[in-house]
């Protein structure tokens, strides 16, 4: 597609339920990032995928968070047993390989997650 | 510790009143510095990439500059539609993007 696509755009879930967020990166972009943005806050790095390399999971806040990516395409971020502090906008970005020159990341519109 | 700060936290300008936003960084091994614009309820929109000290990039009313310790985003004769949060991010060798907290810009007509 022309840009990074995320779904759903909004998700309201009950505390304790699991949720799955989806990201379709720009075609040809081998790098994919997940960020979290709480209301009025900056972007918090969660996880990074680069091709078939092992993902950088250093930003995941707890073992309730996990992410997968199929090859160089779709990625899903899963949050198990959601808690109210998980409420935030989850942003996905993709870019060309970070070893190249043009490493700017392009963002999707985000998924707004509300845990009630 | 790698750190990115932005100032001011918020800025209110009258239409046509030029100003500058600051992004200061303390990182080891800067790969590139990026400026993004974020409108409420939307994802960040890429504006500029700067790779080396002394580099400048321009786009319409915006101009970004880079030194070894900071970057400035100059806004010339801003319009109300320039109102947004402006985010600075650094890309560190072997690591990921580290974002600053942003500057909320309001341009009043």
């Amino acid at each position: 597609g022309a840009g990074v696509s995320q779904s759903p755009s909004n998700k309201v879930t009950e505390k304790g339920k699991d949720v799955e967020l989806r990201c379709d990166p720009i075609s040809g972009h081998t790098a994919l990032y997940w960020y979290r943005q709480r209301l009025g806050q900056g972007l918090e790095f969660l996880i990074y995928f680069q091709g078939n390399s092992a993902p950088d999971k250093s930003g995941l806040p707890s073992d309730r968070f996990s992410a997968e990516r199929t090859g160089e395409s779709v990625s899903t971020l899963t949050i198990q047993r959601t808690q109210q502090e998980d409420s935030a906008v989850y942003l996905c970005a993709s870019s060309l390989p970070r070893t190249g020159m043009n490493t700017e990341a392009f963002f999707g519109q985000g998924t707004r997650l509300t845990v009630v | 510790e790698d750190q990115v700060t932005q100032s001011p936290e918020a800025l209110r300008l009258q239409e046509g009143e030029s100003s500058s936003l600051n992004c200061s960084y303390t990182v080891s091994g800067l790969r590139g510095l990026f400026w993004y614009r974020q409108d409420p309820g939307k994802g960040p929109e890429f504006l500029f990439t700067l790779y080396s000290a002394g580099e400048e990039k321009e786009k319409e009313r915006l101009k970004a500059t880079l030194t070894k310790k900071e970057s400035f985003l100059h806004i010339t004769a801003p319009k109300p539609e320039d109102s947004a949060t402006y985010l600075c991010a650094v890309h560190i060798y072997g690591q990921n993007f580290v974002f600053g907290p942003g500057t909320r810009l309001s341009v009043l007509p």
Side-chain angles (χ1 to χ4, degrees):
Chain A
V4 178
S5 177
Q6 292 187 247
S7 61
S9 55
N10 282 284
K11 176 72 176 178
V12 179
T13 189
E14 292 182 352
K15 178 181 174 181
K17 300 281 189 182
D18 298 351
V19 295
E20 192 172 276
L21 313 179
R22 177 187 170 107
C23 172
D24 284 271
I26 293 172
S27 179
H29 280 191
T30 57
L32 187 146
Y33 306 80
W34 283 98
Y35 286 84
R36 176 170 70 179
Q37 188 173 33
R38 292 195 166 109
L39 186 63
Q41 303 294 313
L43 274 68
E44 177 187 358
F45 167 73
L46 296 177
I47 189 169
Y48 163 75
F49 294 91
Q50 172 59 63
N52 294 318
S53 302
D56 177 352
K57 304 179 181 180
S58 60
L60 295 178
S62 77
D63 58 8
R64 295 187 297 105
F65 287 72
S66 63
E68 295 184 349
R69 188 181 186 192
T70 307
E72 296 181 352
S73 60
V74 172
S75 175
T76 55
L77 176 69
T78 301
I79 308 173
Q80 296 178 310
R81 305 181 302 282
T82 52
Q83 301 178 6
Q84 289 185 328
E85 62 260 31
D86 299 334
S87 296
V89 175
Y90 289 82
L91 291 161
C92 174
S94 70
S95 73
L96 293 171
R98 65 182 182 184
T99 55
M101 275 300 293
N102 299 321
T103 58
E104 56 266 21
F106 296 90
F107 283 82
Q109 295 301 299
T111 293
R112 181 176 301 278
L113 175 66
T114 304
V115 181
V116 298
Chain B
E1 180 185 350
D2 298 322
Q3 195 170 18
V4 180
T5 59
Q6 291 187 246
S7 62
E9 181 177 330
L11 180 64
R12 299 184 73 175
L13 300 173
Q14 291 294 133
E15 184 171 3
E17 180 185 1
S18 302
S19 188
S20 296
L21 312 182
N22 176 266
C23 170
S24 296
Y25 58 92
T26 306
V27 301
S28 52
L30 179 70
R31 180 71 181 82
L33 185 141
F34 306 86
W35 282 97
Y36 288 85
R37 168 192 172 129
Q38 187 174 27
D39 292 294
K42 296 191 175 182
E45 175 190 346
F46 170 74
L47 294 174
F48 301 109
T49 308
L50 299 165
Y51 289 108
S52 56
E55 189 174 0
E56 297 183 353
K57 295 276 180 72
E58 284 190 69
K59 180 180 179 181
E60 296 181 352
R61 295 177 292 282
L62 300 176
K63 178 180 174 181
T65 61
L66 180 67
T67 71
K68 289 186 177 180
K69 293 184 178 180
E70 58 191 349
S71 176
F72 290 94
L73 184 65
H74 307 279
I75 303 177
T76 302
K79 298 181 178 181
E81 53 261 42
D82 294 324
S83 297
T85 295
Y86 289 85
L87 299 169
C88 165
V90 297
H91 191 194
I92 304 166
Y93 276 105
Q95 298 184 39
N96 302 298
F97 295 91
V98 177
F99 279 82
T103 293
R104 292 192 310 278
L105 175 66
S106 300
V107 182
L108 308 176

